[in-house]
Every structure is written in structure tokens, then in C-alpha cells.
Coordinates of all heavy atoms in Angstrom, one line a residue:
M1 N 0.4 -1.1 16.7 CA 1.7 -1.5 17.3 C 2.6 -0.3 17.3 O 2.8 0.3 16.4 CB 2.2 -2.7 16.4 CG 1.3 -3.8 16.4 SD 2.1 -5.2 15.6 CE 3.3 -5.8 16.7
S2 N 3.2 -0.1 18.5 CA 4.0 1.1 18.6 C 5.3 0.9 17.9 O 5.9 2.0 17.6 CB 4.3 1.3 20.1 OG 5.0 0.1 20.7
D3 N 5.8 -0.1 17.5 CA 7.1 -0.3 16.8 C 6.9 -0.5 15.3 O 7.8 -0.7 14.5 CB 7.9 -1.4 17.3 CG 7.3 -2.8 17.2 OD1 6.1 -2.8 17.1 OD2 8.0 -3.8 17.4
C4 N 5.7 -0.5 14.8 CA 5.4 -0.7 13.4 C 5.4 0.6 12.6 O 4.6 1.7 13.0 CB 4.0 -1.4 13.1 SG 3.5 -1.5 11.5
L5 N 6.3 0.7 11.6 CA 6.4 1.9 10.9 C 5.1 2.4 10.2 O 4.7 3.6 10.3 CB 7.5 1.7 9.7 CG 7.6 2.9 8.7 CD1 8.2 4.0 9.4 CD2 8.4 2.4 7.5
F6 N 4.3 1.6 9.7 CA 3.1 1.9 9.0 C 2.1 2.3 10.1 O 1.2 3.2 9.8 CB 2.6 0.9 8.0 CG 3.4 0.7 6.8 CD1 3.3 -0.4 6.0 CD2 4.4 1.7 6.4 CE1 4.1 -0.4 4.8 CE2 5.1 1.6 5.3 CZ 5.0 0.5 4.5
C7 N 2.0 1.6 11.2 CA 1.0 2.0 12.3 C 1.3 3.4 12.8 O 0.4 4.3 12.9 CB 1.2 1.0 13.4 SG 0.3 -0.5 13.1
R8 N 2.6 3.7 12.8 CA 3.1 5.1 13.2 C 2.7 6.1 12.2 O 2.4 7.3 12.5 CB 4.6 5.1 13.6 CG 4.9 4.2 14.8 CD 6.2 4.3 15.2 NE 6.5 5.6 15.8 CZ 7.8 6.2 15.9 NH1 8.8 5.4 15.5 NH2 7.9 7.4 16.3
I9 N 2.8 5.8 10.8 CA 2.3 6.7 9.8 C 0.8 6.9 9.8 O 0.4 8.0 9.8 CB 2.8 6.2 8.4 CG1 4.3 6.3 8.2 CG2 2.1 6.9 7.3 CD1 4.9 5.6 7.0
V10 N 0.1 5.9 10.1 CA -1.4 5.9 10.2 C -1.7 6.8 11.4 O -2.6 7.7 11.3 CB -2.0 4.5 10.4 CG1 -3.5 4.6 10.9 CG2 -1.8 3.8 9.1
A11 N -1.0 6.8 12.5 CA -1.2 7.5 13.7 C -0.7 9.0 13.6 O -0.8 9.8 14.5 CB -0.6 6.8 14.9
R12 N -0.1 9.3 12.4 CA 0.6 10.6 12.1 C 1.6 11.0 13.0 O 2.0 12.1 13.2 CB -0.5 11.8 12.2 CG -1.7 11.5 11.3 CD -1.3 11.4 9.8 NE -2.3 11.9 8.9 CZ -3.2 11.1 8.3 NH1 -3.4 9.8 8.8 NH2 -4.1 11.6 7.4
E13 N 2.3 9.9 13.6 CA 3.6 10.1 14.3 C 4.8 10.3 13.5 O 5.8 10.9 13.9 CB 3.8 8.9 15.3 CG 2.7 8.7 16.3 CD 2.8 7.4 17.1 OE1 3.8 6.7 16.9 OE2 2.0 7.2 18.0
I14 N 4.8 9.7 12.2 CA 5.8 9.8 11.3 C 5.1 10.5 10.0 O 4.1 10.0 9.5 CB 6.4 8.4 10.9 CG1 7.0 7.8 12.1 CG2 7.3 8.5 9.7 CD1 7.6 6.5 11.9
P15 N 5.8 11.6 9.5 CA 5.2 12.2 8.3 C 5.2 11.3 7.0 O 6.1 10.5 6.8 CB 6.0 13.4 8.1 CG 7.3 13.1 8.8 CD 7.0 12.1 9.9
A16 N 4.2 11.5 6.2 CA 4.2 10.8 4.9 C 3.4 11.7 3.9 O 2.5 12.6 4.5 CB 3.5 9.5 5.0
T17 N 3.6 11.6 2.7 CA 2.8 12.4 1.7 C 1.6 11.6 1.4 O 1.6 10.6 0.6 CB 3.6 12.7 0.5 OG1 4.8 13.3 0.8 CG2 2.9 13.4 -0.5
V18 N 0.4 11.9 2.1 CA -0.8 11.1 1.9 C -1.5 11.6 0.7 O -1.6 12.9 0.4 CB -1.7 11.4 3.2 CG1 -3.1 10.8 3.0 CG2 -1.0 10.9 4.5
V19 N -2.0 10.6 -0.2 CA -2.7 11.0 -1.4 C -4.2 10.5 -1.3 O -4.9 11.0 -2.2 CB -1.9 10.4 -2.6 CG1 -0.5 11.0 -2.7 CG2 -1.9 8.9 -2.6
H20 N -4.5 9.7 -0.4 CA -5.8 9.2 -0.3 C -6.1 8.6 1.1 O -5.2 8.0 1.6 CB -6.1 8.1 -1.4 CG -7.5 7.7 -1.5 ND1 -8.5 8.4 -2.0 CD2 -8.1 6.5 -1.1 CE1 -9.7 7.8 -2.0 NE2 -9.4 6.6 -1.4
E21 N -7.3 8.9 1.6 CA -7.6 8.2 2.9 C -9.1 7.9 2.9 O -9.9 8.7 2.4 CB -7.3 9.3 3.9 CG -7.5 8.7 5.4 CD -6.9 9.6 6.5 OE1 -6.6 10.8 6.2 OE2 -6.9 9.1 7.7
T22 N -9.3 6.8 3.6 CA -10.8 6.4 3.9 C -10.9 6.1 5.3 O -9.9 6.2 6.0 CB -11.2 5.2 3.1 OG1 -10.5 4.1 3.5 CG2 -11.0 5.4 1.5
D23 N -12.0 5.7 5.8 CA -12.2 5.2 7.2 C -11.2 4.1 7.5 O -10.8 4.0 8.7 CB -13.6 4.9 7.5 CG -14.6 6.0 7.5 OD1 -14.0 7.2 7.6 OD2 -15.8 5.8 7.4
T24 N -10.9 3.2 6.6 CA -10.1 2.0 6.9 C -8.8 2.0 6.3 O -8.0 1.0 6.5 CB -11.0 0.8 6.4 OG1 -11.2 0.9 5.1 CG2 -12.3 0.7 7.2
T25 N -8.4 2.9 5.3 CA -7.2 2.9 4.6 C -6.5 4.2 4.6 O -7.1 5.3 4.7 CB -7.3 2.4 3.1 OG1 -8.1 3.4 2.5 CG2 -8.1 1.1 3.1
L26 N -5.2 4.2 4.3 CA -4.4 5.3 4.1 C -3.4 5.0 2.9 O -2.7 4.0 3.0 CB -3.6 5.7 5.4 CG -2.8 6.9 5.4 CD1 -3.8 8.2 5.5 CD2 -1.8 7.0 6.5
A27 N -3.3 5.9 2.0 CA -2.4 5.8 0.9 C -1.4 7.0 0.9 O -1.8 8.2 1.0 CB -3.2 5.8 -0.5
F28 N -0.1 6.6 0.7 CA 0.9 7.7 0.7 C 2.0 7.2 -0.3 O 2.2 6.1 -0.6 CB 1.4 7.8 2.2 CG 1.9 6.5 2.7 CD1 3.2 6.0 2.7 CD2 1.0 5.8 3.6 CE1 3.5 4.8 3.3 CE2 1.3 4.6 4.2 CZ 2.6 4.1 4.1
R29 N 2.7 8.3 -0.7 CA 3.9 7.9 -1.6 C 4.9 7.2 -1.0 O 5.4 7.4 0.2 CB 4.4 9.3 -2.1 CG 3.4 10.1 -2.9 CD 3.9 11.1 -3.9 NE 2.9 11.8 -4.5 CZ 2.0 11.4 -5.4 NH1 2.1 10.2 -5.9 NH2 1.1 12.2 -5.9
D30 N 5.4 6.2 -1.8 CA 6.6 5.4 -1.3 C 7.9 6.3 -1.3 O 8.1 7.1 -2.1 CB 6.8 4.2 -2.2 CG 7.7 3.1 -1.7 OD1 8.9 3.4 -1.5 OD2 7.2 2.1 -1.4
I31 N 8.7 6.1 -0.3 CA 9.9 7.0 -0.1 C 11.0 6.5 -1.0 O 12.0 7.2 -1.1 CB 10.4 7.0 1.3 CG1 10.8 5.7 1.8 CG2 9.4 7.8 2.3 CD1 11.6 5.7 3.2
A32 N 11.0 5.3 -1.5 CA 11.9 4.8 -2.6 C 11.2 4.2 -3.7 O 11.1 3.0 -4.0 CB 12.7 3.7 -1.9
P33 N 10.5 5.1 -4.5 CA 9.7 4.8 -5.6 C 10.4 3.9 -6.7 O 11.5 4.2 -7.0 CB 9.2 6.1 -6.2 CG 10.2 7.0 -5.8 CD 10.7 6.6 -4.5
Q34 N 9.7 2.9 -7.1 CA 10.2 2.0 -8.2 C 9.6 2.3 -9.5 O 9.8 1.6 -10.5 CB 9.9 0.6 -7.8 CG 10.5 0.1 -6.4 CD 11.9 0.2 -6.4 OE1 12.6 -0.4 -7.3 NE2 12.5 1.0 -5.4
A35 N 8.7 3.3 -9.6 CA 8.0 3.8 -10.8 C 7.6 5.1 -10.6 O 7.6 5.6 -9.5 CB 6.9 2.8 -11.1
P36 N 7.3 5.9 -11.7 CA 6.8 7.3 -11.6 C 5.7 7.5 -10.6 O 5.6 8.4 -9.8 CB 6.5 7.7 -13.0 CG 7.4 6.8 -13.8 CD 7.5 5.5 -13.2
T37 N 4.7 6.6 -10.6 CA 3.7 6.5 -9.7 C 4.0 5.3 -8.8 O 4.0 4.1 -9.3 CB 2.3 6.3 -10.3 OG1 2.0 7.4 -11.0 CG2 1.3 6.1 -9.2
H38 N 4.3 5.4 -7.5 CA 4.5 4.4 -6.5 C 3.8 4.8 -5.2 O 4.4 5.7 -4.5 CB 5.9 4.1 -6.3 CG 6.1 2.8 -5.6 ND1 7.4 2.2 -5.5 CD2 5.3 2.1 -4.7 CE1 7.2 1.2 -4.7 NE2 6.0 1.0 -4.2
V39 N 2.7 4.3 -5.0 CA 1.9 4.7 -3.7 C 1.6 3.4 -3.0 O 1.4 2.3 -3.5 CB 0.5 5.3 -4.1 CG1 -0.3 5.6 -2.9 CG2 0.8 6.7 -4.9
V40 N 1.7 3.5 -1.7 CA 1.6 2.4 -0.8 C 0.2 2.7 0.0 O -0.1 3.7 0.5 CB 2.6 2.3 0.3 CG1 2.4 1.2 1.3 CG2 4.0 2.2 -0.3
V41 N -0.7 1.6 -0.2 CA -2.0 1.6 0.5 C -2.0 0.6 1.6 O -1.8 -0.5 1.5 CB -3.2 1.3 -0.6 CG1 -4.5 1.5 0.1 CG2 -3.0 2.1 -1.8
V42 N -2.3 1.2 2.8 CA -2.2 0.3 4.0 C -3.6 0.4 4.7 O -4.3 1.3 4.7 CB -1.1 0.8 5.0 CG1 0.2 0.8 4.4 CG2 -1.5 2.1 5.6
P43 N -3.9 -0.7 5.4 CA -5.1 -0.7 6.2 C -4.8 0.0 7.6 O -3.6 -0.1 8.0 CB -5.4 -2.2 6.5 CG -4.0 -2.9 6.4 CD -3.3 -2.1 5.4
K44 N -5.6 0.7 8.0 CA -5.4 1.5 9.3 C -5.3 0.3 10.5 O -4.7 0.7 11.5 CB -6.6 2.4 9.6 CG -6.5 3.6 8.6 CD -7.5 4.6 9.0 CE -7.3 5.9 8.0 NZ -8.3 6.9 8.3
L45 N -5.9 -0.8 10.3 CA -5.8 -1.9 11.2 C -4.5 -2.7 11.0 O -4.2 -2.9 9.8 CB -7.0 -2.8 11.0 CG -7.0 -4.2 11.5 CD1 -7.3 -4.1 13.1 CD2 -8.1 -5.1 10.8
H46 N -3.8 -3.0 12.0 CA -2.7 -3.7 11.8 C -2.8 -5.2 11.5 O -3.6 -5.8 12.3 CB -1.6 -3.6 13.0 CG -0.4 -4.4 12.8 ND1 0.8 -3.7 12.2 CD2 0.0 -5.6 13.2 CE1 1.7 -4.6 12.2 NE2 1.3 -5.8 12.8
A47 N -2.2 -5.8 10.5 CA -2.1 -7.1 10.2 C -0.8 -7.3 9.6 O -0.3 -6.5 8.7 CB -3.2 -7.6 9.2
P48 N 0.0 -8.4 9.8 CA 1.3 -8.5 9.4 C 1.5 -8.7 7.9 O 2.5 -8.3 7.3 CB 1.9 -9.7 10.1 CG 0.7 -10.5 10.6 CD -0.4 -9.4 10.8
D49 N 0.4 -9.2 7.2 CA 0.5 -9.4 5.8 C -0.9 -9.5 5.2 O -2.0 -9.6 5.9 CB 1.4 -10.7 5.3 CG 0.9 -11.9 6.0 OD1 -0.3 -12.2 5.9 OD2 1.8 -12.6 6.6
A50 N -1.0 -9.6 3.8 CA -2.4 -9.6 3.2 C -3.2 -10.8 3.7 O -4.4 -10.7 3.8 CB -2.2 -9.7 1.7
V51 N -2.5 -12.1 3.7 CA -3.3 -13.2 4.2 C -3.9 -13.1 5.5 O -5.0 -13.5 5.7 CB -2.4 -14.5 4.0 CG1 -3.0 -15.8 4.5 CG2 -1.9 -14.7 2.6
A52 N -3.1 -12.5 6.4 CA -3.6 -12.3 7.9 C -4.7 -11.3 7.8 O -5.7 -11.4 8.6 CB -2.4 -11.9 8.8
L53 N -4.6 -10.3 7.0 CA -5.7 -9.3 6.9 C -6.9 -10.0 6.3 O -8.0 -9.7 6.8 CB -5.3 -8.1 6.0 CG -6.3 -7.0 5.8 CD1 -6.6 -6.3 7.2 CD2 -5.7 -6.0 4.9
A54 N -6.8 -10.8 5.3 CA -8.0 -11.5 4.7 C -8.7 -12.3 5.8 O -9.8 -12.4 5.8 CB -7.5 -12.3 3.5
A55 N -7.9 -13.0 6.6 CA -8.4 -13.8 7.7 C -9.1 -13.2 8.8 O -10.2 -13.6 9.3 CB -7.3 -14.7 8.2
T56 N -8.6 -11.9 9.1 CA -9.2 -11.1 10.3 C -10.1 -10.1 9.9 O -11.0 -9.8 10.7 CB -8.1 -10.6 11.1 OG1 -7.3 -9.7 10.3 CG2 -7.2 -11.6 11.7
A57 N -10.0 -9.6 8.7 CA -10.8 -8.5 8.3 C -10.9 -8.4 6.7 O -10.4 -7.5 6.1 CB -10.3 -7.1 8.9
P58 N -11.7 -9.3 6.1 CA -11.7 -9.5 4.7 C -12.3 -8.3 3.9 O -11.9 -7.9 3.0 CB -12.5 -10.7 4.5 CG -13.2 -11.0 5.7 CD -12.4 -10.4 6.9
G59 N -13.3 -7.6 4.6 CA -13.8 -6.4 4.2 C -12.7 -5.3 4.0 O -12.9 -4.5 3.1
V60 N -11.8 -5.2 4.9 CA -10.7 -4.2 4.9 C -9.8 -4.5 3.6 O -9.2 -3.7 3.0 CB -9.9 -4.1 6.1 CG1 -8.8 -3.1 6.0 CG2 -10.9 -3.7 7.2
L61 N -9.6 -5.8 3.3 CA -8.9 -6.1 2.2 C -9.6 -5.6 0.9 O -8.9 -5.1 0.0 CB -8.7 -7.7 2.1 CG -7.7 -8.2 1.0 CD1 -6.3 -7.7 1.3 CD2 -7.8 -9.8 1.0
D62 N -10.9 -5.7 0.8 CA -11.7 -5.1 -0.2 C -11.4 -3.6 -0.4 O -11.2 -3.0 -1.4 CB -13.2 -5.3 0.0 CG -13.6 -6.9 -0.2 OD1 -12.8 -7.7 -0.7 OD2 -14.7 -7.1 0.3
D63 N -11.4 -3.0 0.8 CA -11.2 -1.5 0.9 C -9.9 -1.1 0.4 O -9.7 0.0 -0.3 CB -11.3 -1.0 2.4 CG -12.7 -1.2 3.0 OD1 -13.7 -1.4 2.2 OD2 -12.8 -1.1 4.2
L64 N -8.8 -2.0 0.6 CA -7.5 -1.6 0.0 C -7.6 -1.6 -1.5 O -7.0 -0.7 -2.2 CB -6.5 -2.7 0.4 CG -6.0 -2.6 1.9 CD1 -4.9 -3.8 2.1 CD2 -5.4 -1.3 2.1
F65 N -8.2 -2.6 -2.1 CA -8.4 -2.6 -3.6 C -9.2 -1.4 -4.1 O -8.8 -0.8 -5.2 CB -8.9 -3.9 -4.1 CG -7.8 -5.0 -4.1 CD1 -7.7 -5.9 -3.0 CD2 -6.8 -5.1 -5.1 CE1 -6.8 -6.9 -3.0 CE2 -5.9 -6.0 -5.1 CZ -5.9 -7.0 -4.1
L66 N -10.3 -1.1 -3.4 CA -11.0 0.0 -3.8 C -10.2 1.4 -3.8 O -10.3 2.2 -4.6 CB -12.3 0.1 -3.1 CG -13.4 -0.9 -3.3 CD1 -14.4 -0.9 -2.2 CD2 -13.9 -1.0 -4.7
A67 N -9.5 1.5 -2.6 CA -8.6 2.7 -2.6 C -7.5 2.7 -3.6 O -7.3 3.7 -4.1 CB -8.0 2.6 -1.0
A68 N -7.0 1.6 -3.9 CA -5.9 1.6 -4.9 C -6.5 2.0 -6.2 O -5.8 2.7 -7.0 CB -5.4 0.1 -5.0
G69 N -7.8 1.6 -6.6 CA -8.5 2.0 -7.8 C -8.6 3.6 -7.8 O -8.4 4.3 -8.9
E70 N -8.9 4.2 -6.7 CA -9.1 5.6 -6.6 C -7.8 6.4 -6.8 O -7.7 7.3 -7.4 CB -9.8 6.0 -5.3 CG -11.2 5.5 -5.1 CD -12.0 6.1 -6.3 OE1 -11.9 7.3 -6.6 OE2 -12.8 5.4 -6.8
V71 N -6.7 5.7 -6.1 CA -5.4 6.3 -6.3 C -5.0 6.3 -7.8 O -4.4 7.2 -8.3 CB -4.4 5.5 -5.4 CG1 -2.9 5.8 -5.8 CG2 -4.6 5.8 -3.9
A72 N -5.2 5.1 -8.4 CA -4.8 5.0 -9.9 C -5.4 6.1 -10.7 O -4.9 6.7 -11.6 CB -5.2 3.6 -10.4
K73 N -6.8 6.3 -10.4 CA -7.5 7.3 -11.2 C -6.8 8.7 -10.9 O -6.6 9.5 -11.8 CB -8.9 7.4 -10.7 CG -9.8 6.3 -11.3 CD -11.2 6.4 -10.8 CE -11.9 5.1 -10.9 NZ -13.2 5.1 -10.1
A74 N -6.7 9.0 -9.5 CA -6.2 10.3 -9.2 C -4.7 10.6 -9.7 O -4.4 11.7 -10.1 CB -6.1 10.4 -7.7
E75 N -4.0 9.5 -9.9 CA -2.6 9.6 -10.4 C -2.5 9.5 -11.9 O -1.4 9.7 -12.4 CB -1.8 8.4 -9.8 CG -1.6 8.5 -8.2 CD -0.7 9.7 -7.7 OE1 0.4 9.9 -8.3 OE2 -1.1 10.3 -6.9
G76 N -3.6 9.4 -12.5 CA -3.6 9.4 -14.0 C -3.1 8.2 -14.7 O -2.7 8.2 -15.8
V77 N -3.1 7.1 -13.9 CA -2.6 5.8 -14.5 C -3.7 4.7 -14.8 O -3.4 3.6 -15.3 CB -1.5 5.2 -13.7 CG1 -0.3 6.2 -13.6 CG2 -2.0 4.9 -12.3
A78 N -5.0 5.0 -14.4 CA -6.0 4.1 -14.5 C -6.2 3.7 -15.9 O -6.5 2.5 -16.2 CB -7.3 4.6 -13.9
D79 N -6.2 4.5 -16.9 CA -6.4 4.2 -18.3 C -5.2 3.5 -19.0 O -5.5 2.7 -19.9 CB -6.8 5.4 -19.1 CG -8.1 6.0 -18.6 OD1 -8.9 5.2 -18.1 OD2 -8.4 7.2 -18.8
T80 N -4.0 3.9 -18.6 CA -2.8 3.3 -19.3 C -2.3 2.0 -18.6 O -1.7 1.2 -19.3 CB -1.6 4.3 -19.2 OG1 -1.4 4.6 -18.0 CG2 -2.0 5.5 -20.1
G81 N -2.8 1.7 -17.4 CA -2.4 0.5 -16.7 C -1.5 0.7 -15.6 O -0.7 1.7 -15.5
Y82 N -1.6 -0.1 -14.6 CA -0.9 0.0 -13.4 C -0.8 -1.4 -12.8 O -1.5 -2.3 -13.1 CB -1.5 0.9 -12.4 CG -2.9 0.7 -12.0 CD1 -3.3 0.0 -10.8 CD2 -4.0 1.1 -12.8 CE1 -4.6 -0.2 -10.6 CE2 -5.3 0.9 -12.5 CZ -5.6 0.2 -11.3 OH -6.9 0.0 -11.0
R83 N 0.1 -1.6 -11.9 CA 0.3 -2.9 -11.2 C 0.0 -2.7 -9.7 O 0.3 -1.7 -9.1 CB 1.8 -3.3 -11.2 CG 2.1 -4.6 -10.5 CD 3.5 -5.0 -10.9 NE 3.6 -5.3 -12.4 CZ 4.7 -5.4 -13.0 NH1 5.9 -5.2 -12.5 NH2 4.7 -5.8 -14.3
L84 N -0.7 -3.8 -9.2 CA -1.1 -3.9 -7.8 C -0.3 -5.0 -7.2 O -0.3 -6.1 -7.8 CB -2.5 -4.1 -7.5 CG -3.5 -2.9 -8.0 CD1 -4.9 -3.4 -7.7 CD2 -3.1 -1.7 -7.4
L85 N 0.5 -4.8 -6.2 CA 1.5 -5.8 -5.6 C 1.5 -5.8 -4.1 O 1.6 -4.9 -3.5 CB 2.9 -5.4 -6.2 CG 4.0 -6.3 -5.8 CD1 4.0 -7.7 -6.4 CD2 5.3 -5.6 -6.1
F86 N 1.3 -7.1 -3.6 CA 1.5 -7.4 -2.2 C 2.8 -8.2 -2.2 O 3.1 -9.1 -3.0 CB 0.5 -8.3 -1.7 CG -0.8 -7.5 -1.2 CD1 -1.9 -7.7 -2.0 CD2 -0.9 -6.9 -0.2 CE1 -3.1 -7.1 -1.7 CE2 -2.0 -6.2 0.3 CZ -3.2 -6.4 -0.5
N87 N 3.8 -7.8 -1.2 CA 4.9 -8.7 -0.9 C 4.5 -9.4 0.4 O 4.2 -8.6 1.3 CB 6.2 -7.9 -0.8 CG 6.6 -7.3 -2.2 OD1 6.6 -8.0 -3.1 ND2 7.0 -6.0 -2.1
T88 N 4.7 -10.6 0.4 CA 4.4 -11.3 1.7 C 5.6 -12.2 2.1 O 5.9 -13.2 1.5 CB 3.2 -12.3 1.5 OG1 2.1 -11.5 1.0 CG2 2.8 -12.9 2.8
G89 N 6.3 -11.7 3.2 CA 7.4 -12.5 3.7 C 8.7 -11.9 3.2 O 8.9 -11.2 2.2
D90 N 9.7 -12.3 3.9 CA 11.1 -11.8 3.8 C 11.6 -12.2 2.3 O 12.2 -11.3 1.6 CB 12.0 -12.4 4.8 CG 13.4 -11.8 4.7 OD1 13.6 -10.5 4.6 OD2 14.4 -12.6 4.6
H91 N 11.4 -13.4 1.9 CA 11.9 -13.8 0.6 C 11.1 -13.1 -0.5 O 11.7 -13.1 -1.7 CB 11.7 -15.4 0.4 CG 12.7 -16.1 1.2 ND1 13.0 -17.5 0.9 CD2 13.6 -15.8 2.2 CE1 14.0 -17.9 1.8 NE2 14.3 -16.9 2.6
A92 N 10.0 -12.6 -0.3 CA 9.3 -11.8 -1.4 C 9.7 -10.4 -1.4 O 9.2 -9.6 -2.3 CB 7.8 -12.0 -1.1
G93 N 10.5 -9.9 -0.3 CA 10.9 -8.5 -0.3 C 10.0 -7.7 0.7 O 10.2 -6.5 0.6
Q94 N 9.2 -8.3 1.4 CA 8.4 -7.5 2.4 C 9.5 -7.0 3.5 O 10.1 -7.8 4.1 CB 7.4 -8.4 3.0 CG 6.5 -7.5 3.9 CD 5.3 -8.3 4.6 OE1 5.2 -9.6 4.5 NE2 4.4 -7.7 5.3
T95 N 9.4 -5.7 3.6 CA 10.3 -5.1 4.6 C 9.6 -4.5 5.9 O 10.3 -4.3 6.9 CB 11.2 -4.0 4.0 OG1 10.4 -3.0 3.4 CG2 12.1 -4.7 2.9
V96 N 8.4 -4.1 5.7 CA 7.5 -3.7 6.8 C 6.4 -4.7 7.0 O 5.6 -4.9 6.0 CB 7.0 -2.3 6.5 CG1 6.1 -1.8 7.5 CG2 8.0 -1.3 6.2
F97 N 6.3 -5.2 8.1 CA 5.4 -6.4 8.3 C 4.1 -5.8 8.8 O 3.6 -6.1 10.0 CB 6.1 -7.4 9.2 CG 7.1 -8.1 8.5 CD1 8.4 -7.6 8.3 CD2 6.9 -9.3 7.7 CE1 9.4 -8.3 7.6 CE2 7.8 -9.9 7.0 CZ 9.1 -9.4 6.9
H98 N 3.5 -5.0 8.0 CA 2.1 -4.5 8.1 C 1.6 -4.6 6.7 O 2.2 -4.2 5.8 CB 2.2 -3.0 8.6 CG 0.8 -2.3 8.7 ND1 0.5 -1.7 9.9 CD2 -0.1 -2.2 7.8 CE1 -0.7 -1.2 9.8 NE2 -1.1 -1.3 8.6
A99 N 0.5 -5.3 6.5 CA -0.2 -5.5 5.1 C -0.1 -4.2 4.4 O -0.5 -3.1 4.9 CB -1.5 -6.1 5.3
H100 N 0.4 -4.2 3.1 CA 0.3 -3.1 2.3 C 0.3 -3.4 0.8 O 0.9 -4.4 0.4 CB 1.5 -2.1 2.6 CG 2.8 -2.7 2.5 ND1 3.3 -3.6 3.5 CD2 3.8 -2.6 1.6 CE1 4.6 -3.9 3.1 NE2 4.9 -3.3 2.0
L101 N -0.4 -2.6 0.1 CA -0.5 -2.8 -1.3 C 0.1 -1.7 -2.1 O -0.2 -0.5 -1.8 CB -2.1 -2.8 -1.7 CG -2.5 -3.0 -3.1 CD1 -2.0 -4.4 -3.6 CD2 -4.0 -2.9 -3.2
H102 N 1.1 -2.1 -3.0 CA 1.8 -1.1 -3.9 C 1.0 -0.9 -5.1 O 0.5 -1.8 -5.7 CB 3.1 -1.7 -4.2 CG 4.1 -1.9 -3.1 ND1 5.0 -0.9 -2.7 CD2 4.2 -2.9 -2.3 CE1 5.7 -1.4 -1.7 NE2 5.3 -2.7 -1.5
V103 N 0.9 0.4 -5.4 CA 0.2 0.8 -6.7 C 1.4 1.4 -7.5 O 2.0 2.4 -7.1 CB -0.9 1.9 -6.5 CG1 -1.5 2.4 -7.9 CG2 -2.0 1.4 -5.5
L104 N 1.7 0.8 -8.6 CA 2.9 1.2 -9.4 C 2.4 1.5 -10.8 O 1.6 0.7 -11.4 CB 3.8 0.0 -9.5 CG 4.5 -0.4 -8.2 CD1 4.7 -1.8 -8.1 CD2 5.8 0.4 -8.0
G105 N 2.9 2.6 -11.5 CA 2.5 3.0 -12.8 C 3.2 4.1 -13.3 O 4.2 4.6 -12.7
G106 N 2.7 4.6 -14.4 CA 3.4 5.8 -14.9 C 4.3 5.5 -16.0 O 5.0 6.4 -16.7
R107 N 4.6 4.3 -16.3 CA 5.5 3.9 -17.3 C 5.2 2.4 -17.6 O 4.6 1.7 -16.9 CB 6.9 4.0 -17.0 CG 7.5 3.1 -15.9 CD 9.0 3.2 -15.8 NE 9.4 2.5 -14.5 CZ 9.6 1.3 -14.3 NH1 9.3 0.4 -15.2 NH2 10.1 0.8 -13.2
R108 N 5.7 1.9 -18.8 CA 5.5 0.4 -19.1 C 6.3 -0.4 -18.0 O 7.5 -0.1 -17.9 CB 5.9 0.1 -20.5 CG 5.7 -1.3 -20.9 CD 5.8 -1.5 -22.3 NE 5.0 -0.8 -23.2 CZ 3.8 -1.1 -23.4 NH1 3.2 -2.1 -22.9 NH2 3.0 -0.3 -24.2
L109 N 5.7 -1.2 -17.4 CA 6.3 -2.0 -16.4 C 6.7 -3.4 -16.9 O 5.9 -4.1 -17.6 CB 5.3 -2.3 -15.2 CG 5.0 -0.9 -14.5 CD1 3.8 -1.2 -13.4 CD2 6.1 -0.3 -13.8
G110 N 7.9 -3.8 -16.7 CA 8.4 -5.2 -17.2 C 7.9 -6.2 -16.4 O 7.2 -6.1 -15.4
P111 N 8.2 -7.5 -16.9 CA 7.8 -8.6 -16.1 C 8.5 -8.8 -14.7 O 9.6 -8.2 -14.7 CB 8.3 -9.9 -17.0 CG 9.3 -9.3 -17.9 CD 9.1 -7.8 -18.1
L112 N 7.8 -9.4 -13.8 CA 8.4 -9.6 -12.5 C 9.4 -10.7 -12.6 O 9.2 -11.7 -13.3 CB 7.3 -9.9 -11.4 CG 6.4 -8.8 -11.2 CD1 5.2 -9.4 -10.2 CD2 7.0 -7.7 -10.6
A113 N 10.6 -10.6 -11.8 CA 11.6 -11.7 -11.9 C 11.1 -12.8 -11.2 O 10.4 -13.0 -10.3 CB 12.8 -11.1 -11.3

């Protein structure tokens, strides 16, 4: 989608600090990190949210989680712990309507509100 921020990052039209890439996923540092490690893992295929992605390409949803595990290892948070988070919809705080998985870690994370 030409107006989707994450599609444009995947297409390399907008720069991002890429930390991991597979045939189906791209992982890059969040521009407004909420933890010392905050990486966004997106499918290269556009889907508005995780549920839509699961309905149209469930294997790609698996790929997001596998990529997130690789990111956690590479970022040094796999052993101490990290959070994987999907925001779905405006009330949940989703601001880019392209499915994406946040990998957060690097410090003790508090409970979600």
C-alpha cells in the first residue's frame, strides 16, 4: 500500500535501522522506544492487524514470532526476558495499521495498564 508507513519501510522508501530480515519479515528499531530494546517486526505482506494476518497468511504470523526470537537473541534479551506485543485497533494504541509485533526488553518491564 503506497500510503502505509511500514510498507514504505519494507520497500526501502523510508529509512529505518534494520536489525533482522527474512524473506517474509523485516525488523527495525522503533523511533520512539519504550524500553532499551524496542524493535518492531513487520510482515513484508500488508495486513492491517495481527488477526487479519492470521486469517490471510498464518504462516507469516509464525514467521513474525520466529524473527522476534532471533531479534531477542541478537539484542541480548533472550535470557533475561522480553515482551512480545501486538496492538490491535485505535483503543489499544495501534498507530500504524500494518500488522506489527513489538519486541521490548533490556530492563524489568512493569505490568500493562
